[in-house]
Amino acid sequence: QVQLVESGGGLVQAGASLRLSCAASGRTFSSYAMAWFRQAPGKEREFVAAISRSGDDTNYADSIKGRFAISRDNAKNTVYLQMNSLKPEDTAVYYCAATTVGINPIASYKYRYWGQGTQVTVSS
């Protein structure tokens, strides 16, 4: 069992950077693969990035590859999403998620635990 709380969102101009954090409760954080998803108004939730339990393996959506980086610190029970060169199309609510299934899956239905989300707005 794990509870997740995101933070770090905000309103920024195109080209700026943000770092999102997701703090997890419990003693078994390292047993979960973690991921970030995002959802814009009127759109389906989409995959952004995922990371394996040890942090050795990552997976990224093509739309953000080279701009975003996912990382985790198991000693701090925290997963991060570093976002650089932000674009207006990155505007969305960003969610972190945890799963015990797979290495670092990209399908949202495979994630059992979800945070409440944090808003990222990028103006042009």
Side-chain angles (χ1 to χ4, degrees):
Q1 304 295 311
V2 62
Q3 292 180 297
L4 308 172
V5 180
E6 303 97 331
S7 62
L11 173 62
V12 299
Q13 290 187 310
S17 296
L18 283 172
R19 189 174 78 156
L20 306 183
S21 298
C22 177
S25 66
R27 299 177 61 192
T28 58
F29 178 70
S30 62
S31 69
Y32 296 92
M34 301 293 296
W36 289 94
F37 293 81
R38 66 187 183 186
Q39 188 168 27
K43 304 292 185 181
E44 294 293 312
R45 187 170 297 182
E46 67 172 342
F47 169 76
V48 177
I51 189 166
S52 63
R53 293 157 182 81
S54 67
D56 291 338
D57 297 301
T58 57
N59 202 355
Y60 295 99
D62 288 342
S63 61
I64 57 87
K65 209 164 190 176
R67 298 189 297 122
F68 293 8
I70 189 171
S71 62
R72 67 190 295 162
D73 187 338
N74 287 347
K76 297 182 182 294
N77 279 16
T78 303
V79 63
Y80 304 96
L81 184 68
Q82 178 66 47
M83 305 186 295
N84 300 321
S85 301
L86 282 162
K87 305 174 180 180
E89 52 261 45
D90 295 320
T91 295
V93 176
Y94 284 71
Y95 299 89
C96 66
T99 184
T100 59
V101 177
I103 304 301
N104 54 358
I106 65 174
S108 62
Y109 72 85
K110 294 188 177 182
Y111 288 83
R112 179 174 180 178
Y113 306 101
W114 294 82
Q116 81 290 339
T118 185
Q119 177 72 49
V120 172
T121 303
V122 184
S123 65
S124 58

